[in-house]
Amino acid sequence: MHIHNISSKNSILNTFLSEIRDQSIQKDSMRFRRNIERIGEILGYEMSKTFTYNSKTIQTPLAEATVDLPNNDVVLCSILRAGVPLHNGLLNYFDTAENAFISAYRHHKDNPEVFEIIVEYLACPSLEGKTLVLADPMVASGQSLVATYEALKPFGTPKEIHLVAVIGAEEGIDFIKDKFPENTHLWIATVDNVLNSKGYIVPGLGDAGDLAFGKKLQH
């Protein structure tokens, strides 16, 4: 797996990351969603540099101009519900992409520190020969990404796979490395060192879904 940690070089991305982590700023859910969306735009821009391009001649009001345009057949797939703002950021740049949505959530039984990933809802076009972009804002244990990938396999074999995330734990990234094809790319805004006993990233930012859309009842 090719891992691209975008925060390894300083950029305006640092501002958006600081605001989604800051417990006083992140209380503004609209700003939180917009910052996740902007991070998605940055990650999508960096990812686009690896796409394939073909030259095309266009007519301007004054003359012809030749431009190189990406020709990847993109499918954006986000994990509900936290992945929606990240999905929107990617869709802002890849506006002709097809879209897929999947629900994957942690189901705790008797022990709050033990959980399994449940996948219930899935809507997806054919993935055969396409560029699959799988968006999950938080790569904690990595189990959600793996469960999602397994659920998508019946829809065809993508030509290439890109994983897009905002924050990941080193443990979760290590877990997914050998669960995807070797040439898979992970585009991530930043990586934290610690995953606590409950499977949350530290320092992280808290629950991305709750911060974006409000607290949920547990079931």
Side-chain angles (χ1 to χ4, degrees):
M1 180 178 290
H2 307 281
I3 299 172
H4 309 271
N5 182 357
I6 307 304
S7 65
S8 61
K9 294 183 179 180
N10 286 330
S11 72
I12 191 62
L13 174 67
N14 296 3
T15 299
F16 307 142
L17 284 170
S18 71
E19 291 189 359
I20 62 172
R21 289 188 192 266
D22 190 316
Q23 63 179 351
S24 60
I25 299 176
Q26 67 178 201
K27 292 177 182 178
D28 182 343
S29 59
M30 183 172 67
R31 186 169 187 83
F32 183 84
R33 291 192 301 270
R34 180 60 183 128
N35 279 329
I36 295 291
E37 185 177 336
R38 292 195 286 189
I39 291 170
E41 292 171 350
I42 291 172
L43 296 173
Y45 169 76
E46 294 295 331
M47 178 179 65
S48 72
K49 296 176 182 179
T50 67
F51 284 6
T52 56
Y53 287 76
N54 287 336
S55 293
K56 181 179 180 181
T57 300
I58 61 172
Q59 182 67 49
T60 79
L62 300 177
E64 290 185 342
T66 301
V67 294
D68 292 333
L69 298 175
N71 64 356
N72 293 60
D73 196 359
V74 176
V75 177
L76 302 177
C77 179
S78 66
I79 300 176
L80 302 173
R81 61 183 170 146
V84 172
L86 186 59
H87 186 106
N88 288 339
L90 292 165
L91 194 58
N92 287 344
Y93 279 21
F94 305 106
D95 44 273
T96 62
E98 295 180 279
N99 296 270
F101 298 92
I102 186 169
S103 70
Y105 65 91
R106 297 181 179 192
H107 176 63
H108 297 269
K109 296 182 179 178
D110 299 325
N111 187 340
E113 297 185 2
V114 177
F115 61 87
E116 61 178 333
I117 301 297
I118 304 295
V119 174
E120 289 185 340
Y121 172 82
L122 175 57
C124 185
S126 170
L127 300 175
E128 191 65 35
K130 298 178 181 177
T131 297
L132 172 62
V133 180
L134 184 53
D136 189 6
M138 309 295 286
V139 181
S141 68
Q143 294 182 43
S144 293
L145 275 174
V146 173
T148 298
Y149 176 56
E150 292 298 321
L152 292 173
K153 284 184 176 180
F155 293 86
T157 303
K159 178 182 178 182
E160 56 189 85
I161 299 175
H162 297 268
L163 310 178
V164 178
V166 177
I167 301 176
E170 290 184 352
E171 182 179 329
I173 293 172
D174 287 340
F175 176 76
I176 67 174
K177 280 180 180 177
D178 61 352
K179 304 296 191 302
F180 288 85
E182 184 178 353
N183 198 40
T184 298
H185 291 259
L186 170 63
W187 304 90
I188 191 163
T190 194
V191 178
D192 289 348
N193 296 326
V194 179
L195 189 66
N196 68 17
S197 60
K198 294 184 178 180
Y200 286 97
I201 302 169
V202 179
L205 52 74
D207 189 302
D210 286 359
L211 289 166
F213 301 110
K215 292 185 178 181
K216 58 190 176 295
L217 291 175
Q218 299 295 332
H219 63 284

